[in-house]
């Protein structure tokens, strides 16, 4: 029986980078996104070409129904889970000053980045705990993708930063809870990574990199996050549950 990994938002960007890395490790995959399956058919074909089973679980993690759809799909298709990667997330609908954020935009972002991530994790963590009780040798883990924005504030993306800071402490809370069951929980904090999410500000970030925003003079790639996630999930960083791994080219390093 192959191990199964659920990667939320695994249909493109960083999530897809993680999915590819886990497929290379031999994990069967459950890929989640909000688009209809035919729109991600090409991606699914590419992943299946890596020799593992891949199912697509369409569902909005920000809604109760969406989360139920994902978990029901997992139970039906695989019947078990070994790894949860909480990666799905959105940027603010509009980049605007913190004085201008509307309650509607705040709720829309928090529902996905924070509330949805929390309640999906709560359900899956309970399931994982049961699986572990039934088979104490199972190696399971949870990886939460937050952002440098959990730590580096931006007045034009205030709600996003708040959602990532909240998800960071969520990760710590689950690290404590899941330690009871021997299941490590990690947080990965990507820096500026070349995906669709940064489309509107790609050029600004390119200029930032040229001007020394990162110590390593390039943007991050989804493969970078994939490699780090795979190392954590393989157990290459033993005795380190609850830790935050920054994959940001040194962007968070204080300098003078
Ligand atoms: N790119 C960066 O610079 C950067 C930096 C730090 C942290 N991050 C974080 O990394 C994660 C991935 O970002 P990305 O850059 O790869 O973004 P992306 O290219 O925009 O991809 C977002 C993914 O999340 C899925 N998604 C969006 N809303 C969803 C929802 N409500 N329910 C389920 N799935 C949903 C999308 O599905 P569809 O394909 O169906 O739309 C897609 O697979 C996010 O949490 C983001 O905050 C990104």
């Amino acid at each position: 029986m192959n191990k199964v990994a659920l990667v939320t938002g695994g249909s493109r960007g960083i999530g897809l980078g993680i999915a590819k890395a886990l497929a290379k490790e031999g994990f069967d995959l459950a890929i989640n996104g909000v688009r209809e399956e035919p729109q991600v058919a090409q991606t699914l074909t590419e992943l299946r070409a890596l020799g593992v089973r891949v199912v697509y679980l369409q569902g909005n993690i920000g809604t109760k129904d969406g989360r139920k759809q994902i978990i029901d799909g997992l139970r039906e298709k695989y019947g078990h889970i070994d790894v949860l990667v909480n990666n799905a997330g959105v940027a603010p609908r509009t980049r605007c000053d913190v004085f201008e954020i509307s309650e509607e935009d705040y709720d829309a972002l928090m529902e996905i980045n924070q509330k949805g991530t929390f309640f999906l994790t709560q359900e899956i963590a309970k399931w994982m705990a049961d699986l572990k009780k039934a088979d104490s040798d199972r190696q399971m883990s949870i990886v939460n993708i937050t952002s440098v924005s959990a730590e580096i504030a931006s007045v034009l993306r205030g709600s996003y930063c708040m959602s990532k800071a909240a998800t960071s402490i969520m990760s710590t809370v689950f690290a404590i809870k899941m330690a009871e069951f021997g299941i490590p929980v990690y947080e990965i904090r990507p820096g500026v990574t070349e995906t669709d999410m940064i489309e509107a500000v790609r050029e600004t970030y390119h200029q930032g990199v040229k001007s020394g925003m990162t110590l390593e003079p390039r943007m991050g790639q989804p493969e970078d996050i994939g490699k780090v996630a795979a190392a954590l999930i393989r157990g290459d960083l033993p005795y380190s549950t609850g830790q935050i791994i920054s994959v940001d080219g040194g962007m968070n390093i204080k300098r003078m």
Side-chain angles (χ1 to χ4, degrees), residues 5-27:
L6 166 63
V7 184
T8 67
S11 55
R12 59 194 164 107
I14 290 174
L16 181 56
I18 295 170
K20 284 180 179 164
L22 294 183
K24 287 177 193 156
E25 296 289 317
F27 279 88

Side-chain angles (χ1 to χ4, degrees), residues 63 71 91 106 127 158 179 182 199 215 218 231 251:
T63 68
I71 292 170
Y106 177 94
W127 186 11
E199 193 49 51
L215 298 183
R218 68 173 176 87
M251 191 177 166

Side-chain angles (χ1 to χ4, degrees), residues 7-20 31-35 39-40 43 47 56 87-90 194-199 222:
V7 184
T8 67
S11 55
R12 59 194 164 107
I14 290 174
L16 181 56
I18 295 170
K20 284 180 179 164
I31 297 301
N32 151 259
V34 284
R35 286 176 293 165
Q39 290 177 267
V40 296
T43 303
L47 287 171
Y56 181 64
N87 163 80
V90 290
E194 283 208 87
T195 69
D196 297 339
M197 183 177 273
I198 61 150
E199 193 49 51

Side-chain angles (χ1 to χ4, degrees), residues 58-70:
Q58 188 206 10
N60 177 357
I61 64 159
T63 68
K64 208 169 188 169
D65 286 351
R67 293 189 294 273
K68 183 173 182 322
Q69 208 167 296
I70 296 164

Side-chain angles (χ1 to χ4, degrees), residues 99-228:
F99 275 11
E100 311 297 333
I101 298 170
S102 71
E103 199 165 332
E104 193 192 21
D105 281 7
Y106 177 94
D107 284 346
L109 183 135
M110 285 292 179
E111 243 167 44
I112 298 169
N113 290 8
Q114 221 303 292
K115 181 179 163 188
T117 301
F118 170 68
F119 283 105
L120 184 75
T121 307
Q122 186 193 55
E123 275 310 302
I124 291 183
K126 286 192 274 186
W127 186 11
M128 283 178 154
D130 287 343
L131 290 166
K132 187 82 178 184
K133 280 182 217 155
D135 175 4
S136 60
D137 289 338
R138 287 184 88 106
Q139 294 237 317
M140 292 186 271
S141 56
I142 298 175
V143 176
N144 298 304
I145 307 301
T146 63
S147 169
V148 282
S149 299
E151 183 188 6
I152 303 176
S154 159
V155 80
L156 295 179
R157 297 179 309 125
S159 54
Y160 181 80
C161 297
M162 289 186 270
S163 75
K164 292 299 179 179
T167 305
S168 174
I169 193 71
M170 181 203 90
S171 194
T172 311
V173 168
F174 275 104
I176 296 167
K177 181 65 195 171
M178 300 313 281
E180 275 177 48
F181 310 102
I183 298 174
V185 179
Y186 308 101
E187 174 185 346
I188 295 180
R189 280 190 185 167
V192 173
T193 311
E194 283 208 87
T195 69
D196 297 339
M197 183 177 273
I198 61 150
E199 193 49 51
V201 280
R202 194 176 301 270
E203 199 37 49
T204 311
Y205 286 151
H206 269 299
Q207 288 308 325
V209 167
K210 276 191 193 158
S211 332
M213 180 173 78
T214 53
L215 298 183
E216 297 182 40
R218 68 173 176 87
M219 305 257 273
Q221 298 299 321
E223 298 73 36
D224 297 322
I225 319 295
K227 282 181 185 166
V228 172

